[in-house]
Amino acid sequence: MKKLFFIFLFCFIVSCSGVEFIYNDEKNPINPLYQKTKVFTSGTDLSFMNSYLPMYFGESDEYTYNLQINVNEKKTKRSVETNQATSNLRYELRFYYTLTSIKNNCITFEKEIISYFSIIPKSSGYNHGADTSLEKKYELAISDNLNQLISILSDINLDNC
C-alpha cells in the first residue's frame, strides 16, 4: 500500500513540474491602458464615473495615451398613466470613446458603446428606495460600459493608427 501511495505522489509531483504562472510579466495583460492613460470626460456629468476611472485606468506621471470620454444621456418615458405620471422610465447612456496616441500623435481607437437601464419611479418627491436604485443602476451601467471598452481594447493593437 505504501508503494502505491509513493508512486501516486511521484506521478503527481512530476505532472505539476511544467506549471507556468500567467502573471510573470510586469505588464497588465488584461487592461492595456492601465497606468498609461490620461482620461478626459465631457457631456453628461455622471458623478460615479469619476470615481471609477482611476480604478480602471490607474494614475501615473507619464502617459502614452489620451482617452476622451463623451457621455450623452437620454430619458424616455415608456409607460404613462392616465394622470400623466410616468410609471416606467428608460435611460440610455451613450459613451463615445476616442483614444489618441501621444507618441504617434494620432487617433488609434474610436467607439460608441451604449448602455440601457429602466427604472420605475415610486412617487413624486424624494424616495430613498427609488433614488438608491437609480444610483445603483447608474453605477452598474458605467462599470459594464467600461468593462466592455477594456475587453475590446485588449483584443486590438493600440500602436496602429
Side-chain angles (χ1 to χ4, degrees):
M1 190 66 161
K2 283 187 176 184
K3 288 183 182 182
L4 184 61
F5 175 72
F6 286 118
I7 292 172
F8 175 74
L9 183 65
F10 177 75
C11 289
F12 179 75
I13 292 173
V14 169
S15 69
C16 293
S17 65
V19 173
E20 294 182 21
F21 294 100
I22 295 173
Y23 295 112
N24 276 342
D25 297 334
E26 298 268 335
K27 67 179 185 174
N28 188 348
I30 297 170
N31 185 353
L33 298 180
Y34 191 73
Q35 291 187 344
K36 297 178 185 176
T37 308
K38 184 165 180 89
V39 181
F40 303 96
T41 58
S42 63
T44 305
D45 184 30
L46 301 174
S47 59
F48 299 109
M49 193 158 96
N50 294 329
S51 63
Y52 276 94
L53 291 176
M55 184 173 58
Y56 281 92
F57 300 106
E59 295 179 12
S60 177
D61 294 333
E62 295 182 21
Y63 301 107
T64 309
Y65 303 101
N66 286 330
L67 179 63
Q68 177 67 39
I69 304 173
N70 185 9
V71 182
N72 292 330
E73 177 184 46
K74 180 181 175 185
K75 297 177 189 177
T76 306
K77 296 178 183 178
R78 297 186 71 198
S79 179
V80 180
E81 301 291 328
T82 56
N83 64 355
Q84 297 301 311
T86 304
S87 62
N88 194 340
L89 191 60
R90 182 177 187 214
Y91 288 80
E92 176 183 285
L93 298 173
R94 290 182 177 267
F95 291 77
Y96 299 96
Y97 296 102
T98 304
L99 183 68
T100 308
S101 172
I102 296 173
K103 179 175 59 175
N104 298 334
N105 196 22
C106 64
I107 295 174
T108 59
F109 178 79
E110 284 185 300
K111 182 77 173 173
E112 175 187 13
I113 302 175
I114 303 170
S115 294
Y116 301 99
F117 64 90
S118 295
I119 191 161
I120 300 170
K122 296 295 182 191
S123 68
S124 61
Y126 194 77
N127 182 346
H128 293 287
D131 292 339
T132 303
S133 175
L134 181 61
E135 290 174 2
K136 267 298 181 208
K137 290 192 178 198
Y138 268 117
E139 286 183 45
L140 289 172
I142 292 167
S143 64
D144 180 54
N145 204 290
L146 290 171
N147 283 330
Q148 286 182 37
L149 174 70
I150 299 303
S151 176
I152 292 168
L153 291 175
S154 64
D155 292 337
I156 64 170
N157 184 4
L158 297 176
D159 294 329
N160 292 341
C161 291

